[in-house]
Amino acid sequence: MFTGFDFEVIQRSLPYLWQGMQFSLGLTLLAMLGGIFLGTLLALMRLAPYKLLSYPAGAYVNLVRSIPLILVIFWFYFLIPLAMKKLTGNPYASGIGPFYSALIAFTMFEAAYYCEIIRAGIQSVPRGQASAAYALGLDYRQATTLVILPQAFRNMIPILLTTSIILFQDTSLVYVVGLTDFMGAAGKIARRDGRLVEMYLFAALVYFIICYSGSYFVKRLQARYNVGR
Amino acid sequence: MIEMKNVSKWYGTFQVLKNCTTRVDEGEVVVVCGPSGSGKSTLIKCVNALEPFQQGEITVGGISVGAPGTDLPNLRSHIGMVFQNFELFPHMKVIDNINLAQIKVLKRTPEAAREKSMSLLKRVGLEVQAEKFPGQLSGGQQQRVAIARALAMDPLAMLFDEPTSALDPEMINEVLDVMTELAKEGMTMMVVTHEMGFASRVAHRVVFMDAGEIVEDAKKEDFFGKPRSERAQHFLSKILHH
């Protein structure tokens, strides 16, 4: 069946594909950390009793969740150089390059999704826990970081990881600003060597293995936590 | 020690506390009782500002709870509180539950905090459970840890919000024993409870609430001997005859 196919091409291009994969994983990891950090701040803002904090955070989350990711990536790529020119007054100011603009785009975009997860996680911690923390004399920051968030994150780990697996798949969108991730690398070789079927099959297999083992790990984790509770 | 003057509180248009006035003197044990929904828990939570109130004044040790400039964390660190559902921190070991506020609020060294925590655990009979997580203890044990956690702050007064309501019957006494001992040592205590046996043994005064009002505020002997109000008589007849 596979006569006429050349699977050697995969082996030949492994170093290049590995570079692409490192990029994909690196971007995923950085965007995940940044997104969770920013998402936590947004979630705390949304839950704050002050409209001055909760309204802007809510508006941001709803806005970002209503536009496609690819648009956000484009935006940052084209807007940041414009903004830099305006800010510095230097008409030749270049942007911050495609990598950082993509990283910022992913972080800001994912933050909106993480925010909603983290908000639900914080709300899953019984109110009495905050009361107990305050009754001991802890202030808002201490009660949040020492009592509420550790429990919230423990409840959220499975869904945070699931979201991060989707984020990993989404990183393939960086091709629109000319970056080469794993998917991009596979595509380039496929076109250069005329080996579309082989390369795209291989890429699909790699994504499947990584994402499936990720989901499996999450499932195991979930089963363990449910027993522990 | 604790003084309340004409405290009123509304949830929206519903008035949960109506002009409540009472006091707890130093070394005194005051039991607050009354039917469900009468506002007793709300009242006790107002004392350390876990619940805001709209009218009236509460002072603890001369410091106003409701005043805008009050350093609430500092005030609360001097008032111990024990909750109906224990509210131990489930992600921390028993010992760390007791250490936490000592280190973070009172700025004790970890060693000093640990020493204090262990002596308190010993006092409530749980020193062997120090390294366990709250989820591994029974309800009665958890509540005793919660009492130890509150005592670790060397509080001026202790608030108990239905400390035995969530417990199985056979565990109620182990918690009441700890509370009785505390009272004997002269701790200032305000206790919301349905345990009338505890009230008649330990309390100095009994406050009876109904529908957000303090209906009766009397010495224990008077309250159990000859309650003046019909509502209190009715309540006592229901709660004592079974």
Side-chain angles (χ1 to χ4, degrees):
Chain A
M1 181 189 167
F2 285 117
T3 48
F5 286 128
D6 172 21
F7 283 98
E8 287 275 288
V9 67
I10 295 165
Q11 209 178 357
R12 284 200 303 274
S13 48
L14 271 182
Y16 186 59
L17 290 170
W18 174 234
Q19 260 178 29
M21 181 53 77
Q22 280 175 316
F23 178 91
S24 292
L25 292 173
L27 180 61
T28 304
L29 196 73
L30 290 174
M32 186 178 136
L33 293 177
I36 288 177
F37 178 73
L38 212 61
T40 307
L41 292 183
L42 280 169
L44 290 173
M45 280 172 74
R46 281 204 82 169
L47 290 169
Y50 312 108
K51 285 182 180 150
L52 211 64
L53 289 175
S54 63
Y55 277 29
Y60 174 81
V61 169
N62 285 320
L63 173 75
V64 171
R65 300 214 307 168
S66 314
I67 32 180
L69 172 56
I70 200 160
L71 203 60
V72 181
I73 299 172
F74 260 129
W75 260 14
F76 274 95
Y77 188 55
F78 292 110
L79 275 183
I80 285 183
L82 279 178
M84 297 277 269
K85 276 171 201 163
K86 266 267 175 333
L87 281 175
T88 56
N90 173 6
Y92 301 106
S94 60
I96 48 175
F99 176 74
Y100 286 106
S101 78
L103 179 61
I104 292 173
F106 270 99
T107 304
M108 310 260 315
F109 184 83
E110 294 299 325
Y113 284 85
Y114 284 125
C115 163
E116 291 303 273
I117 296 170
I118 294 162
R119 185 167 70 123
I122 291 173
Q123 284 174 325
S124 75
V125 178
R127 266 185 61 95
Q129 288 285 307
S131 295
Y134 290 137
L136 284 167
L138 299 177
D139 57 27
Y140 172 80
R141 194 182 51 79
Q142 293 170 324
T144 305
T145 56
L146 300 170
V147 175
I148 305 299
L149 286 181
Q151 294 183 61
F153 274 105
R154 201 174 65 165
N155 296 345
M156 289 181 313
I157 286 171
I159 177 99
L160 282 178
L161 289 177
T162 305
T163 305
S164 305
I165 291 170
I166 298 170
L167 166 65
F168 172 66
Q169 296 167 6
D170 285 346
T171 53
S172 58
L173 289 174
V174 292
Y175 78 88
V176 296
V177 290
L179 291 168
T180 306
D181 70 323
F182 175 71
M183 185 62 215
K188 275 184 189 167
I189 290 166
R191 287 188 297 277
R192 184 195 69 192
D193 294 1
R195 292 288 168 197
L196 297 173
V197 178
E198 293 90 330
M199 285 314 291
Y200 285 136
L201 261 179
F202 178 68
L205 184 74
V206 169
Y207 274 110
F208 174 77
I209 289 173
I210 291 177
C211 295
Y212 183 77
S213 36
S215 315
Y216 181 75
F217 174 69
V218 170
K219 222 186 274 176
R220 286 272 305 270
L221 208 66
Q222 227 163 356
R224 236 181 69 184
Y225 273 120
N226 285 342
V227 169
R229 228 178 288 163
Chain B
M1 178 66 61
I2 302 170
E3 215 161 329
M4 299 188 209
K5 273 196 204 118
N6 302 321
V7 175
S8 290
K9 176 181 170 68
W10 286 264
Y11 284 126
T13 56
F14 178 68
Q15 190 168 4
V16 276
L17 294 178
K18 296 171 190 162
N19 263 324
C20 296
T21 302
T22 189
R23 53 183 295 134
V24 183
D25 290 326
E26 199 171 335
E28 199 177 23
V29 178
V30 173
V31 162
V32 182
C33 62
S36 305
S38 56
K40 9 180 234 309
S41 282
T42 311
L43 184 73
I44 203 172
K45 281 181 181 149
C46 285
V47 174
N48 63 354
L50 287 181
E51 290 276 359
F53 51 95
Q54 283 82 30
Q55 254 174 38
E57 203 190 13
I58 300 179
T59 57
V60 178
I63 297 166
S64 168
V65 175
T70 304
D71 180 356
L72 283 180
N74 182 36
L75 180 70
R76 287 170 177 146
S77 70
H78 296 299
I79 312 171
M81 182 148 194
V82 176
F83 297 84
Q84 181 174 357
N85 293 313
F86 330 133
E87 304 299 353
L88 295 177
F89 306 133
H91 59 298
M92 293 179 190
K93 286 178 185 167
V94 164
I95 185 85
D96 295 322
N97 262 278
I98 308 176
N99 287 343
L100 179 72
Q102 295 185 63
I103 295 169
K104 298 292 176 182
V105 179
L106 300 181
K107 311 289 178 204
R108 287 185 185 146
T109 63
E111 296 76 34
R114 203 187 155 80
E115 199 174 318
K116 177 96 185 166
S117 302
M118 285 311 293
S119 77
L120 283 165
L121 275 176
K122 197 165 187 176
R123 179 170 166 182
V124 298
L126 292 171
E127 69 267 46
V128 292
Q129 317 283 9
E131 301 297 324
K132 287 193 180 160
F133 283 91
Q136 297 168 291
L137 304 186
S138 74
Q141 291 173 327
Q142 287 191 50
Q143 194 61 299
R144 285 188 279 155
V145 172
I147 294 173
R149 181 175 71 175
L151 289 176
M153 304 298 285
D154 293 324
L156 301 172
M158 288 280 287
L159 308 174
F160 292 84
D161 183 10
E162 306 209 23
T164 56
S165 301
L167 295 176
D168 291 331
E170 76 270 21
M171 294 170 186
I172 289 177
N173 279 332
E174 61 189 67
V175 172
L176 290 182
D177 288 347
V178 172
M179 290 168 62
T180 306
E181 203 163 301
L182 256 184
K184 275 190 196 144
E185 287 165 20
M187 174 63 79
T188 309
M189 292 162 67
M190 186 169 177
V191 186
V192 172
T193 186
H194 289 118
E195 295 295 331
M196 287 300 123
F198 173 79
S200 65
R201 267 183 286 118
V202 179
H204 298 107
R205 273 190 17 253
V206 178
V207 170
F208 173 73
M209 286 184 78
D210 190 22
E213 276 176 291
I214 292 184
V215 180
E216 197 135 352
D217 184 343
K219 280 197 178 133
K220 169 181 70 181
E221 295 78 17
D222 296 342
F223 182 78
F224 286 108
K226 42 180 190 336
R228 282 161 296 178
S229 68
E230 220 172 281
R231 281 190 277 184
Q233 287 170 13
H234 184 64
F235 175 75
L236 279 179
S237 73
K238 269 203 295 195
I239 209 160
L240 293 179
H241 288 191
H242 64 85

